[in-house]
Amino acid sequence: GENVEQHPSTLSVQEGDSAVIKCTYSDSASNYFPWYKQELGKGPQLIIDIRSNVGEKKDQRIAVTLNKTAKHFSLHITETQPEDSAVYFCAASIEGGGSYIPTFGRGTSLIVHP
Amino acid sequence: DAGVTQSPTHLIKTRGQHVTLRCSPISGHKSVSWYQQVLGQGPQFIFQYYEKEERGRGNFPDRFSARQFPNYSSELNVNALLLGDSALYLCASSPPDMTGYGYTFGSGTRLTVV
């Protein structure tokens, strides 16, 4: 089955700095890569995703990149703010065929210091 | 619209007991997935149900079972509880086309086994 590795486990930055979280996956058939943000006491919330037919996607201060050859994808957050502090999870899955079961990484705890 | 609702929010059980967790999906969503999230780790897939049929099962023992009702709500049952079953149990619902966009999590049930 799919295996997703995520690094770093903890990331501490100053407000305004950029943050980068990296993930690798094992199953070359995976074609959908969502990122989730989990705040304390809440369930994970989808913040951005990318499909295997594109290499990069941006939404305001958040961007994701995908390298299919290396089976590597990353989350980039620019101009970090204290409210960005949360645990971030990457995931990989095969989308289509009537099923969608993402495999999650272990998470990155992002701390943004004011 | 209400999101994914889970009950109870917190639960304390004794080893060997049985527990039932409940989930109501977003209106119009026909698929429910269950995940276990141990502290400090990413969500681990347990079950997925679509139109009352099991579509997927993760690597969990037979003590774990689930079902989906005609109104698309779902129950997760765990028998013979072990200390290691202590975790946050998350439910996610998906729309009929099962795309990644529709994967919405509830806030979870925090289960503590003592």
Side-chain angles (χ1 to χ4, degrees):
Chain A
E2 177 65 274
N3 182 49
V4 177
E5 299 284 341
Q6 182 172 348
H7 300 280
S9 57
T10 304
L11 181 57
S12 182
V13 301
Q14 289 296 128
E15 183 177 359
D17 287 349
S18 295
V20 180
I21 302 171
K22 299 181 179 182
C23 291
T24 60
Y25 61 100
S26 62
D27 190 345
S28 57
S30 289
N31 58 3
Y32 177 66
F33 307 91
W35 287 87
Y36 290 83
K37 176 183 181 182
Q38 187 174 26
E39 297 175 320
L40 200 62
K42 298 183 179 180
Q45 179 184 11
L46 178 70
I47 56 172
I48 195 168
D49 55 17
I50 190 167
R51 287 176 167 80
S52 58
N53 58 346
V54 298
E56 185 173 356
K57 182 177 179 180
K58 189 174 182 179
D59 182 5
Q60 299 183 333
R61 298 186 296 108
I62 295 174
V64 290
T65 59
L66 172 65
N67 182 329
K68 287 176 56 179
T69 303
K71 288 189 257 182
H72 171 275
F73 58 116
S74 300
L75 176 72
H76 305 251
I77 305 174
T78 58
E79 300 172 20
T80 54
Q81 301 167 4
E83 52 265 38
D84 294 330
S85 296
V87 180
Y88 291 80
F89 294 97
C90 62
S93 70
I94 300 171
E95 188 182 42
S99 182
Y100 166 67
I101 303 175
T103 299
F104 287 81
R106 293 175 64 94
T108 296
S109 178
L110 174 63
I111 304 165
V112 181
H113 299 280
Chain B
D1 281 344
V4 177
T5 57
Q6 293 187 242
S7 63
T9 55
H10 295 82
L11 201 53
I12 299 175
K13 289 286 190 178
T14 304
R15 278 179 298 175
Q17 285 188 317
H18 162 91
V19 68
T20 297
L21 311 180
R22 296 178 174 82
C23 172
S24 293
I26 290 173
S27 178
H29 285 194
K30 298 184 176 182
S31 177
V32 169
S33 301
W34 286 95
Y35 282 78
Q36 181 195 65
Q37 186 176 22
V38 174
L39 196 62
Q41 296 186 21
Q44 296 291 314
F45 173 70
I46 309 175
F47 287 108
Q48 184 177 90
Y49 277 79
Y50 179 71
E51 292 273 19
K52 297 176 289 179
E53 303 238 337
E54 183 182 301
R55 296 289 292 267
R57 172 186 285 254
N59 188 25
F60 279 80
D62 292 343
R63 300 184 295 107
F64 288 76
S65 64
R67 56 179 175 168
Q68 187 176 34
F69 299 99
N71 66 353
Y72 305 114
S73 67
S74 178
E75 282 183 355
L76 175 69
N77 295 283
V78 186
N79 292 323
L81 285 167
L82 303 175
L83 295 179
D85 295 330
S86 295
L88 180 67
Y89 288 83
L90 294 163
C91 172
S93 75
S94 308
D97 64 2
M98 297 292 287
T99 62
Y101 285 120
Y103 215 74
T104 305
F105 282 95
S107 294
T109 294
R110 172 71 63 187
L111 172 65
T112 302
V113 182
V114 296

